[in-house]
Amino acid sequence: MTPPTFKDPTYENVYIGETFGPVDLVLDDFFLRSYAYALDDYSGMRIVDGMVQPVGAVPSHMIVSDLMQIFLTVYDRDKVVGLHQKEEVIHYKPVPVGAKLTLTGTYVDKYMKRGKGYTVLESIARDEEGDIVILQRSTEVMRMPEGVKVGTGSAEPERRVSPRALPAERAGRVTAQTPVGTALRSMTKQVRQAQMSVFTGAEFHKQGIHTNLEIAKKAGLRECIAQGMMESCWASQYLAGLFGESFLSTGRHFSTYLMPIYPKDVITIEGIVTSREPLDGGTSVEIEYWLINQDGQTTAVGFGAAVL
């Protein structure tokens, strides 16, 4: 059998309207345990007789990661050197453990800005009833100007989100009545290379700046760097913990990545309630959040909302 031929993941090879899929994704125990380990997120798990077992709805960010990577069904996963810049996710419906989803994707835009070639991928996950459960849009740099190293500079946030000092008293949950200006509990993550490798595709022997030190150093990095999508996943976990189940059916969030995360970095996510808007079906509550490393540097910012 002739092995499949993959395209080089370059800005020139991308064209608007290029489609991917359909691809089936079964949310079985192995899939969920892999992501739980990679993200250090066992919120959808329980321990039974010493074994980790998934329960309830699938943490939605685990699905988003596969959605974002659907372009790798056509492009060579081992030649990807570009950087994820921004990520938008909209949640429409919770998904139970064991469900089978159908993933599709389309390149909806590409453009040059300051010598960098940007591509925008929109992907959708549908359940077996044909309903949309999640939509994501990812913006990635696939062409770097001469003399610019991977992992330097920063993306431009969709809107200005400024980390700020918060009081010691923090809310652990958000409701329709939570006042604007309420400081929210923090969440801390420490990423390890083993987790980065599993998240990026160790099962498929994927090689790149996230998993291979030699490739990372050739790209001008001091070490491998974590995928920006890992930060979006942490932010999604953070928001789901604050909003509760409503986030899985009405939630949305937008993250912008500002600087790389390296193995053993300690990342703290903080947030604050910034708006409340009455709607026919409830109240839309919005949160601004930011991610800061152990040196006090902001690695990503974003905002998210849900109807409560």
Side-chain angles (χ1 to χ4, degrees):
M1 179 180 295
T2 303
T5 300
F6 293 100
K7 296 169 63 176
D8 284 341
T10 63
Y11 179 79
E12 290 74 17
N13 282 343
V14 171
Y15 64 89
I16 297 174
E18 184 175 13
T19 59
F20 309 95
V23 173
D24 289 337
L25 176 64
V26 179
L27 308 178
D28 57 17
D29 286 7
F30 178 77
F31 170 88
L32 294 166
R33 286 197 298 267
S34 296
Y35 272 112
Y37 168 74
L39 296 168
D40 195 21
D41 176 11
Y42 295 88
S43 55
M45 306 284 171
R46 66 180 178 184
I47 306 296
V48 178
D49 295 330
M51 298 291 291
V52 177
Q53 294 184 357
V55 292
V58 175
S60 53
H61 44 274
M62 298 182 181
I63 302 167
V64 174
S65 178
D66 269 55
L67 266 178
M68 187 272 292
Q69 297 187 77
I70 194 170
F71 77 102
L72 297 178
T73 59
V74 173
Y75 289 84
D76 191 335
R77 65 177 64 240
D78 290 336
K79 294 182 179 180
V80 174
V81 180
L83 285 180
H84 198 173
Q85 299 288 292
K86 302 178 182 180
E87 179 69 25
E88 180 181 11
V89 182
I90 304 174
H91 306 277
Y92 293 97
K93 188 178 181 181
V95 183
V97 172
K100 182 174 77 171
L101 302 180
T102 299
L103 314 183
T104 56
T106 306
Y107 272 124
V108 296
D109 198 9
K110 63 180 291 190
Y111 56 91
M112 294 294 297
K113 188 174 182 180
R114 298 176 182 172
K116 297 179 181 180
Y118 292 81
T119 61
V120 182
L121 174 69
E122 181 175 289
S123 305
I124 293 173
R126 296 179 183 270
D127 62 17
E128 293 184 271
E129 297 174 355
D131 296 334
I132 297 177
V133 297
I134 295 178
L135 180 149
Q136 74 88 35
R137 297 185 188 94
S138 57
T139 301
E140 183 167 358
V141 172
M142 294 186 76
R143 177 198 279 171
M144 298 293 289
E146 290 289 334
V148 175
K149 295 181 179 180
V150 172
T152 61
S154 64
E156 296 180 3
E158 188 72 7
R159 75 182 198 206
R160 183 173 294 279
V161 175
S162 300
R164 65 208 78 172
L166 298 177
E169 185 176 348
R170 313 282 184 92
R173 290 297 293 266
V174 174
T175 70
Q177 290 74 42
T178 302
V180 171
T182 298
L184 304 169
R185 63 169 176 80
S186 63
M187 183 179 78
T188 300
K189 297 284 185 176
Q190 182 174 25
V191 66
R192 303 285 184 170
Q193 181 62 61
Q195 293 171 304
M196 290 163 48
S197 296
V198 170
F199 186 87
T200 301
E203 182 183 7
F204 307 105
H205 307 288
K206 182 178 177 182
Q207 300 294 306
I209 59 175
H210 308 299
T211 59
N212 186 296
L213 185 58
E214 181 179 356
I215 294 174
K217 288 187 173 182
K218 283 183 178 179
L221 299 163
R222 70 171 191 262
E223 294 182 73
C224 294
I225 60 173
Q227 283 195 44
M229 178 57 79
M230 293 186 77
E231 293 188 272
S232 281
C233 289
W234 296 336
S236 181
Q237 179 190 351
Y238 180 66
L239 294 170
L242 292 167
F243 286 125
E245 293 183 2
S246 294
F247 184 71
L248 298 179
S249 56
T250 68
R252 62 188 302 157
H253 59 100
F254 194 108
S255 298
T256 302
Y257 313 120
L258 303 179
M259 65 179 302
I261 290 179
Y262 292 94
K264 300 183 181 179
D265 277 357
V266 177
I267 305 298
T268 299
I269 309 174
E270 295 184 316
I272 189 170
V273 176
T274 51
S275 72
R276 291 190 303 171
E277 181 182 357
L279 302 174
D280 290 341
T283 300
S284 176
V285 181
E286 186 178 77
I287 292 170
E288 288 185 354
Y289 57 86
W290 49 91
L291 292 80
I292 298 176
N293 67 16
Q294 69 279 359
D295 297 320
Q297 299 168 313
T298 304
T299 63
V301 296
F303 53 91
V307 178
L308 305 175

